[in-house]
Amino acid sequence: METGEREFDLHVESTEIPDLVAEYMSPIHVYGKVLKRGRKLHVTYTVSTIARLVCDRSVEEYDEQITVNTELNYVLDSDLFFQQKGLELDPDDVRGLRDDAQEIDVTDDVRQDLVVALPMKRVAPQFRETELPREYTTPDSGSEIDERWASLQKIQLKK
């Protein structure tokens, strides 16, 4: 690649990304650009797809749009490439590429981006603005509590 900027736009089936979590069954769209200056390359890309999730409140399946933006930096340096081979690198690390590299493989980064982007609390859109019914919240001090749980009332959280 000559000095300058190149855009890319890829559509990949989720099954083509090894070890991708089962929540992702839809095609994955990866688009961005590579900026090359001398031996340095700056890659910015966006990953966009749909995850099939199970709502924590209703146990219903729902689809959630997942979009992740990433920036990676590379340098054409075969010695650095071989030193880093097999290591897990952070997105902030400058990564070595072989001097004769013809492509940049971001498959592992895309997989990690998607796994980290999954919400920890999974609530279907129709339940996001609603309050939980009273029976799921903390009981009032005067209400009767099942004796099996009574000892938990003695626990006080420190702020």
Side-chain angles (χ1 to χ4, degrees):
M1 179 175 157
E2 294 178 20
T3 296
E5 186 175 284
R6 299 276 191 279
E7 293 185 1
F8 59 92
D9 191 350
L10 308 167
H11 293 270
V12 179
E13 291 299 321
S14 60
T15 55
E16 293 180 42
I17 299 181
D19 302 321
L20 186 62
V21 293
E23 287 88 345
Y24 293 109
M25 297 181 284
S26 298
I28 298 167
H29 186 198
V30 182
Y31 56 95
K33 61 184 175 181
V34 178
L35 175 61
K36 182 176 186 239
R37 293 221 165 103
R39 299 180 59 81
K40 296 180 181 181
L41 295 101
H42 181 75
V43 179
T44 56
Y45 65 84
T46 300
V47 179
S48 181
T49 190
I50 296 173
R52 173 66 49 98
L53 305 174
V54 176
C55 179
D56 292 337
R57 289 188 180 176
S58 67
V59 194
E60 297 173 9
E61 285 189 342
Y62 70 99
D63 291 340
E64 182 80 25
Q65 178 71 41
I66 304 290
T67 303
V68 182
N69 297 310
T70 301
E71 293 185 32
L72 300 171
N73 290 297
Y74 294 88
V75 62
L76 292 170
D77 183 336
S78 292
D79 291 337
L80 181 60
F81 171 79
F82 288 113
Q83 288 173 9
Q84 293 176 336
K85 195 169 185 169
L87 299 177
E88 285 192 33
L89 301 173
D90 292 330
D92 295 335
D93 292 335
V94 174
R95 298 152 185 240
L97 287 174
R98 290 176 52 140
D99 291 316
D100 60 350
Q102 299 296 314
E103 61 184 39
I104 298 173
D105 185 357
V106 294
T107 305
D108 289 339
D109 297 292
V110 168
R111 180 183 46 257
Q112 289 176 18
D113 289 342
L114 291 174
V115 169
V116 171
L118 285 171
M120 290 185 71
K121 185 175 183 179
R122 300 173 183 188
V123 180
Q126 65 268 29
F127 299 110
R128 290 181 185 160
E129 300 300 321
T130 59
E131 292 290 323
L132 283 174
R134 188 77 185 133
E135 63 264 20
Y136 297 113
T137 59
T138 306
D140 294 332
S141 59
S143 63
E144 196 172 312
I145 296 177
D146 185 325
E147 64 184 53
R148 295 174 294 177
W149 302 102
S151 62
L152 293 176
Q153 273 191 316
K154 298 174 186 173
I155 298 174
Q156 294 182 355
L157 299 176
K158 295 182 181 181
K159 292 183 181 183

